[in-house]
């Protein structure tokens, strides 16, 4: 079959990306888009998950003619082992991110936090109460010390299940106990996964997959949840904030610094440092009008939510940001940073700076970020970028005009506050609206983009279809940025497009129909929000009963697999835009896509178009509504003040 020739417009939905993909082609710069072409006919064994290189009798690959590896492992074992390793990779990534934040919290509590402080004492005290850490009458540093110690034990616990699991509805904890998948410490789970999947250990696909679910719970209800809680304590709980998204946020006459990755510690300090008078003066001396700090991927989400720092783009725009020719420095930390960045940067004047000792890239300048002297580190990095401004070549610059206004920062506390005000903060109005049918349900749309499909297209089409059907959409990660770039994260635009019932409710309580809830780690906030719905009452007593669905349309990362797994284990159905690498085993496929429902009340579903996903979401939501006995058609009428008071909305 002849390879189809794709134009730039076939590869991305937003005009800025299209323009820069074309520019990259003119500039002779290699990007993930054309590398995807050179990787065509990707390995069919890899795609089916039937390639094993766990020991050196192999590599082995399963075919009808050779149905067993040298050791005798069949397709079920090999596919399940590969899957568990992917879940473990994702769990490790989120959890290690969280561990770094916990260690920072510990240092801050012990007076060794450099320029960091406990920014949100309310969040600290609230979190302490969740874990029965005494807080009344105690100094915040003492509470933080206890909390940090407790969290560190969550990583290392060898015999006791994670304490963070207690934040889930009681009935759900019962499901995990019954299935024998209560996770122990996060590190313990990942190490055990690696042990189980080494040659000659666990060969039962069901046993391997149950451990995958258990490990993922250590992520969602352990590592990731702890990561979000500690970020809020250290950097402040997000609340709605205006920002802008897409490559047009870069400045024509300012020094542009793009921060990329996931960990918020350095980027948070950079966000403070760019406003320092010394830095501003330095930029002026270099002939620039100032410094523009912009974010990519989840680092972008973190600093947007807390500082209103603009977003340059999502995952597939990282190379394109450099192709603008207007970026003086790209600062990378961990996760989702392509190793190609220094090579792209070599065609322009951009300096790629890696800052985390565990994440170096050949061709990047490594500047070890010193958390103990964070402000000095941040300023030194910014000054280096300013010095590079003189090397910008105006002939190579193309900053697309595209950027859209957006609102982000909907933490669960912020949503509660918006729904009920400071005295009656609660999810009651949302539950009531779901019960009355004005809101059909809630769908979390999460995850990356992937050059296998047109960037952002599926994500945006699904988001738009769902709000028209009165579904409240919660978003995180690069999927949230996709909506931002599209201009759908302003309350005004989204309200215009929303179905009648959803619009009425959103207008009455003052929330937009699409809520940006943060980064990938903040998918734990989706669990938290779903739990609030359960605890509020009226929609069942378990997560498997509430009309909530998760979708990962354009996912690419192992982290997305871990997230999907902890959603399903938590009782929330997950729709994937493209399948896992499991097709080589009918048993594994059936276990994840069907049998999981018997164990957890939810499973995976694969829908390869946004249209199919929208239909499936509505079917899944309606099935739950039916079971709850609330699947009646909503009466369509505008509410007056009397109605609102009576419905509590
Ligand atoms: Fe082959 Fe078995 Fe070794 Fe895997 S573990 S590479 S299937 S011999
Ligand atoms: S950054 S994991 S591409 S969402 Fe969190 Fe985006 Fe996916 Fe990375």
């Amino acid at each position: 079959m002849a390879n189809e020739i794709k134009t730039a417009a076939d590869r991305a939905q937003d005009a800025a990306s299209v323009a820069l993909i074309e520019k990259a082609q003119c500039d002779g710069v290699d990007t993930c888009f054309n590398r995807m072409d050179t990787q065509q006919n990707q390995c069919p064994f890899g795609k089916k998950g039937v390639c094993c290189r766990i020991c050196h009798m192999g590599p082995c690959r399963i075919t009808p003619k050779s149905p067993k590896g040298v050791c005798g492992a069949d397709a079920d074992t090999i596919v399940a082992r590969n899957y568990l390793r992917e879940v473990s990779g994702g769990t490790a990534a989120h959890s290690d991110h969280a561990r770094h934040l916990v260690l920072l919290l510990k240092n801050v509590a012990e007076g060794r936090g450099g320029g960091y402080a406990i920014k949100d004492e309310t969040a600290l005290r609230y979190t302490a109460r969740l874990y029965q850490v005494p807080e009344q009458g105690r100094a915040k540093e003492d509470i933080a010390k206890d909390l940090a110690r407790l969290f560190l034990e969550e990583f290392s616990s060898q015999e006791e299940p994670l304490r963070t699991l207690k934040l889930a509805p009681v009935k759900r904890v019962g499901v995990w106990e019954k299935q024998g998948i209560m996770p122990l410490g996060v590190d313990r789970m990942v190490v055990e996964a690696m042990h189980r999947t080494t040659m000659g250990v666990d060969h039962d696909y069901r046993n391997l997959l149950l451990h995958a679910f258990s490990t993922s719970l250590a992520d969602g209800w352990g590592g990731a949840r702890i990561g979000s809680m500690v970020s809020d304590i250290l950097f402040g709980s997000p609340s709605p904030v205006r920002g802008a998204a897409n490559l047009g946020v870069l400045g024509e006459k300012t020094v542009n610094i793009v921060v990329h990755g996931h960990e918020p510690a350095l980027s948070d300090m950079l966000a403070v440092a760019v406003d320092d008078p010394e830095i501003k003066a330095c930029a002026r001396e270099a002939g620039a009008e100032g410094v523009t700090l912009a974010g990519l991927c989840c680092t972008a989400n973190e600093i947007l939510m807390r500082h209103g720092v603009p977003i340059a783009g999502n995952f597939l725009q990282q190379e394109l940001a450099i192709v603008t020719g207007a970026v003086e420095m790209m600062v990378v930390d961990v996760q989702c940073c392509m190793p190609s960045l220094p090579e792209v940067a070599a065609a322009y004047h951009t300096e790629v700076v890696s800052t985390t000792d565990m994440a170096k890239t050949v061709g990047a300048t490594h500047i070890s970020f010193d958390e103990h002297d964070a402000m000095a580190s941040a300023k030194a990095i910014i000054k280096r970028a300013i010095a590079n401004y003189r090397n910008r070549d105006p002939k190579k610059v193309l900053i697309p005009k595209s950027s859209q206004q957006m609102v982000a920062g909907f933490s669960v506390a912020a949503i509660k506050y918006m729904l009920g005000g400071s005295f009656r903060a609660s999810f009651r109005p949302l539950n009531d609206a779901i019960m009355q049918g004005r809101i059909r349900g809630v769908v979390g749309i999460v995850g990356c983009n992937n050059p296998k499909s047109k960037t952002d297209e599926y994500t945006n089409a699904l988001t738009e279809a769902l709000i028209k059907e009165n579904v409240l959409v919660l978003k995180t990660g690069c999927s949230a940025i996709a909506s931002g770039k599209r201009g759908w994260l302003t309350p005004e635009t989204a309200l215009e497009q929303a179905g009648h019932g959803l619009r009425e409710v959103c207008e009455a309580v003052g929330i937009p129909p699409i809520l940006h809830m943060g980064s990938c780690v903040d998918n734990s906030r989706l669990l938290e929000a779903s739990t609030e719905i359960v605890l509020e009452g009226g929609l069942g007593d378990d997560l498997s009963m509430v009309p909530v669905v998760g979708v990962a349309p354009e996912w690419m990362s192992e982290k997305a697999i871990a997230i999907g797994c902890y959603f399903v284990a938590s009782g929330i159905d997950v729709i994937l835009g493209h399948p896992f690498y499991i097709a080589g085993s009918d048993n594994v496929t059936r276990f994840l896509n069907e049998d999981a429902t018997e164990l957890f009340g939810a499973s995976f579903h694969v829908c390869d178009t946004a249209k199919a996903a929208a239909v499936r979401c509505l079917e899944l939501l309606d099935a739950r509504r039916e079971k709850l006995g609330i699947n009646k058609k909503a009466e369509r009428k505008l509410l007056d003040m009397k109605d609102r008071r009576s419905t509590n909305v």
Side-chain angles (χ1 to χ4, degrees), residues 82-160:
N82 288 338
Y83 185 78
L84 172 52
R85 285 198 168 198
E86 288 190 287
V87 170
S88 303
T91 300
H94 286 144
S95 303
D96 207 34
H97 165 163
R99 185 206 325 266
H100 290 161
L101 292 171
V102 174
L103 289 169
L104 180 56
L105 179 67
K106 179 172 166 282
N107 285 338
V108 168
E110 291 170 352
R112 296 182 290 114
Y116 295 101
I118 293 164
K119 238 189 211 160
D120 193 337
E121 192 174 334
T122 308
L124 172 79
R125 292 184 183 276
Y126 173 75
T127 310
R129 289 195 295 278
L130 289 178
Y131 288 88
Q132 287 88 45
V133 170
E135 54 90 18
Q136 278 198 358
R138 297 184 75 202
K140 59 183 179 183
E141 290 74 16
D142 292 336
I143 304 167
K145 261 185 233 165
D146 286 352
L147 209 47
R149 197 176 310 120
L150 186 151
F151 284 149
L152 288 175
E153 284 165 13
E154 290 287 78
F155 290 96
S156 59
S157 172
Q158 303 299 315
E159 293 175 307
E160 291 300 316

Side-chain angles (χ1 to χ4, degrees), residues 113-237:
Y116 295 101
I118 293 164
K119 238 189 211 160
D120 193 337
E121 192 174 334
T122 308
L124 172 79
R125 292 184 183 276
Y126 173 75
T127 310
R129 289 195 295 278
L130 289 178
Y131 288 88
Q132 287 88 45
V133 170
E135 54 90 18
Q136 278 198 358
R138 297 184 75 202
K140 59 183 179 183
E141 290 74 16
D142 292 336
I143 304 167
K145 261 185 233 165
D146 286 352
L147 209 47
R149 197 176 310 120
L150 186 151
F151 284 149
L152 288 175
E153 284 165 13
E154 290 287 78
F155 290 96
S156 59
S157 172
Q158 303 299 315
E159 293 175 307
E160 291 300 316
L162 291 180
R163 290 175 70 173
T164 307
L165 298 177
K166 295 207 173 107
L167 304 184
V170 179
K171 200 164 174 186
R172 185 53 26 184
V173 177
V175 171
W176 297 331
E177 278 168 348
K178 184 173 166 219
Q179 301 305 338
I181 60 162
M182 290 284 280
L184 307 174
V186 181
D187 299 350
R188 169 93 172 74
M189 299 307 291
V190 174
V191 169
E192 185 175 320
M194 294 308 285
H195 180 192
R196 279 179 184 234
T197 52
T198 201
M199 193 268 150
V201 185
D202 196 355
H203 303 130
D204 179 337
Y205 73 92
R206 286 163 300 225
N207 211 35
L208 286 158
L209 295 175
L210 282 174
H211 191 71
F213 281 113
S214 185
T215 303
S216 75
L217 288 175
D219 178 4
W221 293 93
R225 186 78 191 266
I226 291 169
S228 296
M229 287 190 286
V230 177
S231 292
D232 289 354
I233 293 168
L234 285 171
F235 309 117
S237 299

Side-chain angles (χ1 to χ4, degrees), residues 548-567:
V548 175
V549 173
V551 191
E554 301 174 41
W555 67 278
M556 65 85 200
S557 169
E558 287 175 333
K559 292 180 286 174
I561 305 182
I563 292 164
C565 253
Y566 70 64
F567 267 60

Side-chain angles (χ1 to χ4, degrees), residues 111-384:
R112 296 182 290 114
Y116 295 101
I118 293 164
K119 238 189 211 160
D120 193 337
E121 192 174 334
T122 308
L124 172 79
R125 292 184 183 276
Y126 173 75
T127 310
R129 289 195 295 278
L130 289 178
Y131 288 88
Q132 287 88 45
V133 170
E135 54 90 18
Q136 278 198 358
R138 297 184 75 202
K140 59 183 179 183
E141 290 74 16
D142 292 336
I143 304 167
K145 261 185 233 165
D146 286 352
L147 209 47
R149 197 176 310 120
L150 186 151
F151 284 149
L152 288 175
E153 284 165 13
E154 290 287 78
F155 290 96
S156 59
S157 172
Q158 303 299 315
E159 293 175 307
E160 291 300 316
L162 291 180
R163 290 175 70 173
T164 307
L165 298 177
K166 295 207 173 107
L167 304 184
V170 179
K171 200 164 174 186
R172 185 53 26 184
V173 177
V175 171
W176 297 331
E177 278 168 348
K178 184 173 166 219
Q179 301 305 338
I181 60 162
M182 290 284 280
L184 307 174
V186 181
D187 299 350
R188 169 93 172 74
M189 299 307 291
V190 174
V191 169
E192 185 175 320
M194 294 308 285
H195 180 192
R196 279 179 184 234
T197 52
T198 201
M199 193 268 150
V201 185
D202 196 355
H203 303 130
D204 179 337
Y205 73 92
R206 286 163 300 225
N207 211 35
L208 286 158
L209 295 175
L210 282 174
H211 191 71
F213 281 113
S214 185
T215 303
S216 75
L217 288 175
D219 178 4
W221 293 93
R225 186 78 191 266
I226 291 169
S228 296
M229 287 190 286
V230 177
S231 292
D232 289 354
I233 293 168
L234 285 171
F235 309 117
S237 299
S239 57
V241 59
R242 283 202 175 261
N246 216 342
L247 291 158
V249 303
L250 298 174
E252 298 271 359
K253 293 181 180 162
T254 55
V255 175
N256 291 309
I257 302 176
V258 177
V259 281
H260 176 22
H262 280 75
E263 286 190 359
L266 170 62
S267 51
D268 203 86
M269 200 52 84
L270 287 170
V272 176
V274 284
D275 283 334
D276 191 285
E278 181 196 349
I279 291 293
K280 287 183 173 171
C282 195
R284 279 194 300 273
E285 265 169 45
E289 287 178 0
V291 177
T292 298
L293 183 70
L296 268 168
C297 280
C298 284
T299 292
N301 288 321
E302 298 276 0
I303 50 175
L304 164 71
M305 291 198 302
R306 297 191 173 93
H307 297 277
V309 168
I311 289 185
N314 51 7
F315 177 63
L316 290 184
Q317 289 178 294
Q318 56 187 285
E319 295 173 305
L320 303 181
I322 297 175
V323 174
T324 62
V327 172
E328 275 56 53
M329 183 181 281
M330 182 173 285
V331 183
V332 299
D333 52 74
V334 291
Q335 300 172 24
C336 303
C337 305
M338 291 187 187
S340 61
L341 294 175
E343 215 175 298
V344 177
Y348 307 94
H349 73 303
T350 308
E351 182 174 31
V352 178
V353 172
S354 56
T355 52
T356 308
D357 290 348
M358 62 170 262
K360 295 187 179 177
T361 300
V362 173
T365 307
H366 188 71
I367 302 178
S368 203
F369 171 51
D370 180 5
E371 276 178 2
H372 300 289
D373 201 2
M375 182 49 90
S377 264
K379 280 188 182 174
I381 288 171
I382 298 172
K383 283 180 186 168
R384 196 175 166 108

Side-chain angles (χ1 to χ4, degrees), residues 52-60 69-73 78 81 199:
C52 182
R53 50 185 295 281
I54 277 170
C55 90
H56 283 237
M57 291 190 283
C60 301
V70 176
C71 67
I78 292 172
R81 274 197 306 221
M199 193 268 150

